[in-house]
Amino acid sequence: MAKRRILKKEVADVAGELFAETLFCSLYLPNTDKEKADQVMTRILDMQDNFICRISHPDGKDNSVLVKAYYKKLKEDLQKEVNAIAEEIRELSK
């Protein structure tokens, strides 16, 4: 299991990449819905805050098996959320 600090950095990096991609679409691609782009950027920031908070507080679990399962579920949830946001970014320029 990665250290929490490394995991937080990975979440911040992914959120930064998604935010930059959305900002690029909003500023440089024609026919982009600016309001929807703003909503996606807000969702990205909320996602980052949510996951960093979840990384910091594993709900008081003491058993190492429970902690490993918690972080495994957290990573799966993060991947699903990133995929959903990436799909929204793809739809911005359609």
Side-chain angles (χ1 to χ4, degrees), residues 36-76:
K36 188 171 180 183
D38 289 342
Q39 291 173 355
V40 172
M41 287 189 276
T42 301
R43 181 176 175 189
I44 292 167
L45 295 175
D46 290 342
M47 181 262 319
Q48 179 182 3
D49 290 344
N50 178 34
F51 280 97
I52 287 179
C53 183
R54 284 177 59 188
I55 291 167
S56 298
H57 306 288
D59 298 332
K61 294 178 175 42
D62 294 329
N63 187 340
S64 66
V65 174
L66 293 176
V67 171
K68 286 181 183 180
Y70 175 83
Y71 282 110
K72 182 177 180 183
K73 172 83 168 103
L74 184 132
K75 289 178 184 179
E76 290 170 0

Side-chain angles (χ1 to χ4, degrees), residues 6 19 23 27 34-36 43 53 55 57 63 65 69 73 79 82 92-93:
I6 295 168
F19 193 88
L23 187 60
L27 295 175
K34 308 291 186 204
E35 187 173 314
K36 188 171 180 183
R43 181 176 175 189
C53 183
I55 291 167
H57 306 288
N63 187 340
V65 174
K73 172 83 168 103
Q79 187 62 48
V82 167
L92 284 177
S93 61

Side-chain angles (χ1 to χ4, degrees), residues 8 18 48 66 94:
K8 287 179 186 179
L18 290 171
Q48 179 182 3
L66 293 176
K94 289 185 179 181

